[in-house]
Amino acid sequence: MVARQLFKALSVYNPETGKTLKLAQIDYLRHTFFSWTGIKFRLKPGQKIEFALSLFASPVSYFYSIDTHYAQDKLTKLMYKKHYRQRQISYFNSIKINLDTALSLSKRFDLNLGLETLFNIKNGRGDLYSDYHSDEYQGEYVNSGQKTSSTLKSIKAKIGCTVKLMD
């Protein structure tokens, strides 16, 4: 019963859409752009197999996110959205490592397997902007005076094929 009361306290009806929304609801949109420079090593121990190791560093990376929080106006009881925007430009903070294998199954067809890891060697830094201040809409994004930081770690497994149309 306590959980049910808590859920009601964290939910609000929006007459514009006719839906009940949780006040804890958050939408998050993120874009990240990297430029890469690096080196690739290849080893071909036989006619049918090739291994490759690639090491990359990102001279410049750009991070942008919009973090949307839903809230309720205290007077009108209507829902509104608070948007928080983060922008960060970082220099030499990301590393990418690829391990790839190509297995030649025929003269025209190769099977490719790979593993890629991407990580930060230091966190990106930037500023936080908001279109609301103390529950009052500002109409534009204003620097909140708060610093932001982001980190990224990912691992991808890849599988693919190469079809050679010309020899």
Side-chain angles (χ1 to χ4, degrees), residues 5 31 56 58 61 108 135 149 155:
Q5 288 174 343
H31 295 284
F56 297 98
S58 178
S61 57
R108 302 224 179 259
D135 294 337
S149 178
I155 296 176

Side-chain angles (χ1 to χ4, degrees), residues 24-43:
Q25 185 174 355
I26 297 172
D27 289 332
Y28 189 73
L29 171 71
R30 177 177 174 160
H31 295 284
T32 308
F33 171 80
F34 297 96
S35 61
W36 296 108
T37 184
I39 189 165
K40 184 175 191 175
F41 302 97
R42 288 185 174 180
L43 175 65

Side-chain angles (χ1 to χ4, degrees), residues 21-144:
L21 295 174
K22 293 180 189 174
L23 290 180
Q25 185 174 355
I26 297 172
D27 289 332
Y28 189 73
L29 171 71
R30 177 177 174 160
H31 295 284
T32 308
F33 171 80
F34 297 96
S35 61
W36 296 108
T37 184
I39 189 165
K40 184 175 191 175
F41 302 97
R42 288 185 174 180
L43 175 65
K44 194 166 185 175
Q47 287 289 88
K48 301 243 180 216
I49 193 162
E50 180 179 303
F51 298 103
L53 170 67
S54 304
L55 305 169
F56 297 98
S58 178
V60 177
S61 57
Y62 176 77
F63 167 85
Y64 175 85
S65 73
I66 294 284
D67 190 0
T68 305
H69 293 250
Y70 296 90
Q72 183 180 29
D73 187 276
K74 292 175 185 169
L75 295 175
T76 65
K77 303 297 182 196
L78 293 175
M79 292 293 294
Y80 66 93
K81 299 175 184 177
K82 282 185 176 182
H83 298 93
Y84 299 96
R85 181 175 70 188
Q86 298 175 14
R87 286 190 304 188
Q88 300 169 13
I89 296 177
S90 301
Y91 303 98
F92 292 100
N93 79 323
S94 299
I95 301 289
K96 181 169 65 168
I97 302 170
N98 291 333
L99 297 168
D100 297 301
T101 302
L103 180 61
S104 180
L105 300 177
S106 70
K107 183 178 177 182
R108 302 224 179 259
F109 189 78
D110 291 348
L111 177 65
N112 305 305
L113 305 170
L115 190 63
E116 176 183 291
T117 183
L118 172 67
F119 57 92
N120 294 117
I121 52 177
K122 62 182 180 178
N123 289 349
R125 301 270 183 226
D127 294 312
L128 182 67
Y129 296 83
S130 176
D131 63 347
Y132 271 85
H133 179 68
S134 300
D135 294 337
E136 187 176 312
Y137 182 63
Q138 298 169 164
E140 62 183 42
Y141 286 98
V142 175
N143 192 328
S144 68

